[in-house]
Every structure is written in structure tokens, then in C-alpha cells.
Amino acid sequence: MVQDYIIIQVITDVMNSGDPRLPMADTPWPGGVACHLHPFTSVIILNTVMKIAFVTLGCKLNYAETSTYERELLKEGFEAVPWSKGADVFLVNTCTVTEHSDKKSRNISRKLHSQCPEAKIFVTGCYAQLKKAEIEAIDGVTEVFGATEKSRIV
């Protein structure tokens, strides 16, 4: 479950030891995640609300499924954003009615990766079911969920 704040217990002198893997107190963590040292408990508090963008290609069923994914992921603490604004996570719901729709699905996955190379890209839908290996070969795609695996998304 994604939480608004993840609390990591640390000792203050370790926190400020100069270890490059740890942020100094009251400084931004790499990637712009807000970080500060709680003054009474020597605990780092990270603001980790994950931004997710949804891209839907194809039929009305895909749009209905994406709506369900969005509703459930918002309950889990994700913040929905437009895909064109960038996100931490992308969920692409694909179509495979024609070769054109296959190409569109591949192109959007590549575009998202070039737009946000650090983002996780998850692909589902009909194209994901029929041509899983083809999608897995696309740079930046984190995981592919076919029709029988959709329930793992939320």
C-alpha cells in the first residue's frame, strides 16, 4: 500500500554522517522527494505520494477497466495526473484490433519511457494478452499484465 509518509527510523549522527545514500536533514531527497528529520524522534519523514497516469487505447471496455483501476489506485494513495505532465507510474491499457492499434500501443510505451525514464510503466489490455513478449522487449516497460493477470494490478 502506498502511504502519504513512510517513516524510517534512524539515528541522527548516522543521518548526517555524509553517507551519499542518505539525505542530510531538511534537504531534498534525490528525485525531489521532500525529506525532513523529525525533531523529537530522529526519524526521517519522506513525502512519497506516487503520481500515476493512465493511458487508455481501444474500446469502451478498456475505458471502463481503466476507470476501475484509477478508482482503486486512488484509494491506495496514488495521485492521478495527466500522462503528458509526467508521473512516477504509468498504466497503459492497450488494444490489438488492428496492426495500427498494436503500433500505437508500442509507440505510447516508448514515448512514456523517453518522457520519464525513471517511471515504472505497466501495460495491460488485449495487446498485452496476445503479444506479451513483444511488449516486454520495449525499453522502460516494467511489467505486462495479460487478461488473466489483470487482478494483480490493484
Side-chain angles (χ1 to χ4, degrees):
M1 182 172 163
V2 176
Q3 299 176 356
D4 289 343
Y5 294 96
I6 296 173
I7 301 175
I8 304 168
Q9 183 69 47
V10 296
I11 300 170
T12 306
D13 55 353
V14 171
M15 171 74 176
N16 290 315
S17 67
D19 184 333
R21 294 170 297 165
L22 295 173
M24 298 297 284
D26 300 315
T27 60
W29 197 296
V33 176
C35 166
H36 68 275
L37 185 64
H38 189 281
F40 307 114
T41 62
S42 298
V43 169
I44 300 173
I45 301 175
L46 300 174
N47 181 355
T48 60
V49 175
M50 298 289 286
K51 293 181 180 174
I52 187 167
F54 300 90
V55 180
T56 306
L57 305 167
C59 66
K60 290 180 182 181
L61 176 60
N62 282 8
Y63 282 92
E65 286 176 345
T66 299
S67 179
T68 300
Y69 298 143
E70 182 174 1
R71 191 171 43 256
E72 294 303 314
L73 290 167
L74 292 177
K75 285 181 194 175
E76 294 294 321
F78 283 86
E79 175 188 347
V81 297
W83 70 267
S84 59
K85 300 291 183 188
D88 302 304
V89 177
F90 291 96
L91 180 63
V92 182
N93 198 346
T94 63
C95 177
T96 191
V97 172
T98 66
E99 178 58 36
H100 178 72
S101 59
D102 289 358
K103 182 178 179 181
K104 203 170 182 180
S105 296
R106 290 189 302 271
N107 287 343
I108 193 69
S109 297
R110 288 184 186 108
K111 183 175 183 173
L112 295 173
H113 178 60
S114 68
Q115 176 184 316
C116 296
E118 303 297 319
K120 305 286 184 201
I121 301 172
F122 297 95
V123 181
T124 189
C126 299
Y127 181 53
Q129 175 66 30
L130 296 176
K131 299 181 182 174
K132 186 173 186 169
E134 193 173 291
I135 299 169
E136 288 173 333
I138 298 171
D139 281 343
V141 171
T142 306
E143 193 160 353
V144 180
F145 299 94
T148 58
E149 303 162 311
K150 289 182 196 180
S151 63
R152 291 181 43 217
I153 294 173
V154 179

